Amino acid sequence: MFPDLGEFRLVNKILENAAPFEHSGPVNRDWLNVGDDCAIFDGWLATKDLSVENVHFRMDWSTPEQAVEKHIVSNVSDISAMGGVPRFALFGLCVNKSWPADLRDRVVKAVSEGFSRRGIALIGGDTVSGEVGMFSTTLLGTLPSGKPLLRSGARPGDRVYVAGTLGKSGAGLWILMNRPQDAGRFQRLVDYHLAPKIDERMGVKLLQAGVCGACMDVSDGLSSELNHLAFSSGVKIEILRQNLPIDPEVLEMCRHYGLNPMDFAMNGGEEYQLVFSNSVKNDIFQNEVVSEGVHCIGTVFDGSGVYMVDPEGGKVIVNAQAWSHL
């Protein structure tokens, strides 16, 4: 009997309307080993993220489209954090055996459309089935110009910036876990957690504006990312408590439930906005990027560690509060 071609049909659906395979390579041929948002080999930016059902997404919370979108954003933000543009992807899909056919089909369509509308060409991958769903992407990108933004690029005298507002994803997760009946009241926060919306070209804009400091995406929480930048750059970072751009709806939610918004701003993960440093002498940066919703939150000094400075000048150390899967 001829073998079942179901897997081949699924793959063909993923490749429907695929972005074109462009025959152009990196301009610069840099190399960078493990330890940053991306590795670099012969000029190619390379990153990989996994999204596992009931760990990174839940189908009783998310639509299939939201689950796929969140996964793609988690990969694209790594490329953006280096100042790059995503180009090619290798995608792996584990189909949950219990997913009904319509849910599986929606996942497949979301994968196809999600990569295609970003101009990311799918160049390979694998499909399997198992007890839970899983998405796996290896993403390759290139730098349009200049050198990559690295975690090790912060220098004493730099200012520290955050793109966008803080706390949205963590606050949305708190609602889903503790007050799901109130999801409609704080729908924007819930939606952001389920499918974050970021400026996926922010890293490119930073390079074009002349930024040459440190940069990474906020995936594990700002407290952790600041400590990564300080350690990788061999510097001390001081942030001003009153300058943190906590999202207004996060503030409203915390007032309503009697919660501390700083917990979400500093330790909430899956934000995927960029935190970066840059010299204060860069007038081009000030004029062209601050208008994009970028907020100055602190300064880089000689030394080590990360400190929070309150309005009265008091300082407390900021410890990394990263989520761990182990």
Side-chain angles (χ1 to χ4, degrees):
M1 181 180 293
F2 196 72
D4 177 34
L5 296 179
E7 182 177 350
F8 295 94
R9 288 195 296 270
L10 186 147
V11 171
N12 284 334
K13 287 182 179 179
I14 291 177
L15 294 176
E16 284 179 358
N17 304 312
F21 185 87
E22 296 181 359
H23 297 189
S24 62
V27 176
N28 299 315
R29 296 293 180 178
D30 295 327
W31 296 79
L32 180 69
N33 205 344
V34 65
D36 224 292
D37 282 65
C38 298
I40 306 177
F41 62 95
D42 201 21
W44 289 101
L45 306 175
T47 186
K48 181 178 185 62
D49 265 304
L50 297 170
S51 297
V52 180
E53 189 175 10
N54 301 325
V55 177
H56 300 95
F57 65 94
R58 285 175 46 170
M59 286 305 188
D60 57 338
W61 287 354
S62 302
T63 66
E65 293 78 14
Q66 287 173 322
V68 170
E69 184 70 5
K70 182 177 182 179
H71 171 72
I72 295 176
V73 168
S74 73
N75 283 271
V76 170
S77 68
D78 283 335
I79 299 290
S80 176
M82 305 284 282
V85 175
R87 295 276 307 282
F88 303 110
L90 295 149
F91 179 74
L93 172 63
C94 180
V95 175
N96 187 325
K97 293 177 181 178
S98 69
W99 285 351
D102 64 325
L103 191 155
R104 182 198 61 208
D105 291 345
R106 288 173 64 184
V107 165
V108 168
K109 183 179 180 183
V111 169
S112 176
E113 294 180 350
F115 285 111
S116 179
R117 71 170 175 271
R118 291 173 167 90
I120 301 171
L122 285 166
I123 60 172
D126 194 17
T127 58
V128 297
S129 62
E131 301 306 315
V132 296
M134 185 177 72
F135 313 135
S136 172
T137 295
T138 298
L139 191 60
L140 303 178
T142 54
L143 291 168
S145 62
K147 291 290 185 179
L149 296 167
L150 304 177
R151 297 180 183 183
S152 57
R155 299 291 179 264
D158 283 2
R159 293 287 189 260
V160 181
Y161 301 85
V162 167
T165 58
L166 297 170
K168 300 180 294 299
S169 184
L173 176 60
W174 188 93
I175 290 288
L176 288 168
M177 293 182 67
N178 297 280
R179 295 289 191 278
Q181 67 274 19
D182 295 346
R185 177 169 184 163
F186 298 102
Q187 194 65 53
R188 176 174 162 270
L189 300 179
V190 170
D191 288 346
Y192 191 93
H193 173 72
L194 299 178
K197 296 185 184 302
I198 62 171
D199 183 345
E200 297 179 4
R201 292 188 62 83
M202 179 55 74
V204 172
K205 293 177 182 178
L206 296 182
L207 280 183
Q208 290 174 341
V211 171
C212 57
C215 186
M216 66 184 299
D217 73 331
V218 182
S219 55
D220 292 328
L222 184 64
S223 65
S224 295
E225 317 308 6
L226 289 171
N227 274 278
H228 278 304
L229 294 184
F231 178 79
S232 297
S233 299
V235 297
K236 177 174 71 173
I237 295 176
E238 293 185 2
I239 58 173
L240 301 176
R241 182 185 182 99
Q242 66 271 23
N243 283 21
L244 290 173
I246 303 175
D247 191 84
E249 196 162 346
V250 173
L251 294 173
E252 179 188 345
M253 188 205 82
C254 288
R255 284 192 296 267
H256 182 73
Y257 296 112
L259 303 172
N260 184 356
M262 292 298 294
D263 291 337
F264 297 107
M266 294 300 297
N267 303 321
E270 298 183 326
E271 202 76 44
Y272 300 119
Q273 303 283 4
L274 301 187
V275 55
F276 61 97
S277 73
N278 192 55
S279 168
V280 296
K281 298 177 182 179
N282 191 330
D283 293 333
I284 296 175
F285 164 71
Q286 293 292 334
N287 293 334
E288 294 187 5
V289 181
V290 169
S291 61
E292 297 278 353
V294 172
H295 308 269
C296 181
I297 63 170
T299 306
V300 180
F301 296 93
D302 286 315
S304 62
V306 178
Y307 294 83
M308 176 89 70
V309 183
D310 64 33
E312 290 73 40
K315 297 180 184 179
V316 295
I317 193 166
V318 175
N319 293 312
Q321 299 291 325
W323 168 262
S324 175
H325 290 285
L326 302 179

